[in-house]
């Protein structure tokens, strides 16, 4: 069966296979075994790449196979920009840790695909995008990250968080923040997500994002 897959993570499985951890429209959060060789372009498995693959379902194992993998969207706007690339590392790790294997949340794939293509298309003013991503992820997962809901996590950043979550997308991208503030806001939103998803969101790539924000 042909299926669209968004890459969240990759695990090597010997010399000739990898396990591709994905979010898909048809199966939700699911991992697939993919055969690889020396000729396989591993760049196609970069975080948040949008792929097309032929999925072979099985009743004998939960780890199905995916073959004839191709890149559906090239994401040139992301791959040519070190800042956007770093953001996708962060975003994909959050998704990998927050969404449990087997979860099938209606509309989540469509939201994520739109989010990736939006970041790819943006030419400027995208420094606040990871924050917007976190708030929209909470909504897509069925939570309500209003100012009041975020208040127990916000501390001294309550006013700024309130402004941010209530602002339309374009306006939220223009709210002035320095690197220290963005880092603090990211940690607050991650704590909110961890609390409501009952997941341990020890996001390693947040350190890289901190360096990016400076």
């Amino acid at each position: 069966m042909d299926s669209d897959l968004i890459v969240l993570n990759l695990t090597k499985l010997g010399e000739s296979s990898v396990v591709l951890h994905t979010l898909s429209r048809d199966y939700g959060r699911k991992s697939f075994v993919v055969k690889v060789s020396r000729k396989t372009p591993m760049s196609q498995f970069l975080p948040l790449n949008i792929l097309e693959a032929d999925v072979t379902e099985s009743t004998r194992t939960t780890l199905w196979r995916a073959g004839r993998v191709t890149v559906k969207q090239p994401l040139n706007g992301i791959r040519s920009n070190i800042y956007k690339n770093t953001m996708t590392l962060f975003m994909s790790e959050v998704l990998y840790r927050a969404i449990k294997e087997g979860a099938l949340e209606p509309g989540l794939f469509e939201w994520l695909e739109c989010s990736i293509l939006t970041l790819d298309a943006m030419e400027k003013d995208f420094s606040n995008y990871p924050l917007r991503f976190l708030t929209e992820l909470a909504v897509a997962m069925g939570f309500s990250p209003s100012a009041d809901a975020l208040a127990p996590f916000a501390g001294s950043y309550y006013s700024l968080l309130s402004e941010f979550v209530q602002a339309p997308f374009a306006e939220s991208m223009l709210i002035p923040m320095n690197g220290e503030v963005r880092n603090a806001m990211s940690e607050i939103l991650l704590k909110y997500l961890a609390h409501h998803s009952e997941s341990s969101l020890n996001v390693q790539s947040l350190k890289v994002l901190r360096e990016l924000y400076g």
Side-chain angles (χ1 to χ4, degrees):
M1 175 178 174
D2 289 338
S3 184
D4 292 344
L5 311 173
I6 296 177
V7 179
L8 304 185
N9 203 346
L10 183 75
T11 304
K12 288 187 176 180
L13 191 66
E15 295 296 323
S16 59
S17 298
V18 297
V19 176
L20 200 61
H21 308 281
T22 75
L23 186 69
S24 76
R25 179 182 289 107
D26 303 302
Y27 309 108
R29 166 82 153 79
K30 189 162 182 62
S31 301
F32 300 93
V33 175
V34 179
K35 287 186 176 181
V36 296
S37 69
R38 292 180 180 178
K39 296 182 180 179
T40 302
M42 298 302 288
S43 59
Q44 69 183 349
F45 302 131
L46 287 171
L48 297 191
N49 266 5
I50 304 170
L51 309 176
E52 289 181 318
D54 183 11
V55 171
T56 303
E57 300 182 10
S58 173
T59 57
R60 293 179 296 177
T61 176
T62 58
L63 194 56
W64 299 349
R65 292 190 174 273
R68 294 189 291 180
V69 178
T70 58
V71 175
K72 182 179 180 182
Q73 300 282 354
L75 303 183
N76 293 327
I78 289 176
R79 300 310 171 203
S80 62
N81 187 296
I82 188 173
Y83 296 98
K84 290 184 180 182
N85 253 326
T86 302
M87 289 176 184
T88 62
L89 288 174
F90 171 75
M91 292 158 62
S92 62
E93 186 181 356
V94 171
L95 291 161
Y96 177 71
R97 295 184 184 280
I99 303 172
K100 295 179 173 61
E101 183 80 13
L104 181 57
E105 191 75 37
L108 188 59
F109 177 90
E110 289 78 8
W111 163 77
L112 180 55
E113 183 178 42
C114 181
S115 297
I116 295 166
L117 296 178
T118 297
L119 178 60
D120 187 63
M122 294 179 75
E123 296 181 355
K124 61 179 181 178
D125 299 325
F126 50 78
S127 294
N128 290 349
Y129 193 82
L131 302 176
R132 186 73 185 200
F133 168 81
L134 291 174
T135 58
E136 290 188 357
L137 172 60
V139 174
M141 293 179 68
F143 312 137
S144 300
S146 63
D148 288 343
L150 289 165
F153 308 89
S156 61
Y157 291 93
Y158 175 78
S159 295
L160 182 59
L161 264 173
S162 179
E163 178 187 3
F164 186 83
V165 298
Q166 294 181 63
F169 178 85
E171 291 181 19
S172 69
M173 292 298 99
L174 298 176
I175 294 175
M177 301 183 206
N178 60 28
E180 181 180 352
V181 171
R182 288 194 187 97
N183 289 330
M185 295 270 281
S186 296
E187 291 181 355
I188 290 166
L189 291 168
L190 284 172
K191 287 178 182 177
Y192 173 85
L193 275 169
H195 175 77
H196 286 281
S197 65
E198 299 180 346
S199 303
S200 177
L201 298 184
N202 183 22
V203 181
Q204 298 300 312
S205 54
L206 182 59
K207 298 174 183 177
V208 183
L209 201 63
R210 287 195 189 104
E211 294 178 4
L212 179 71
Y213 283 155

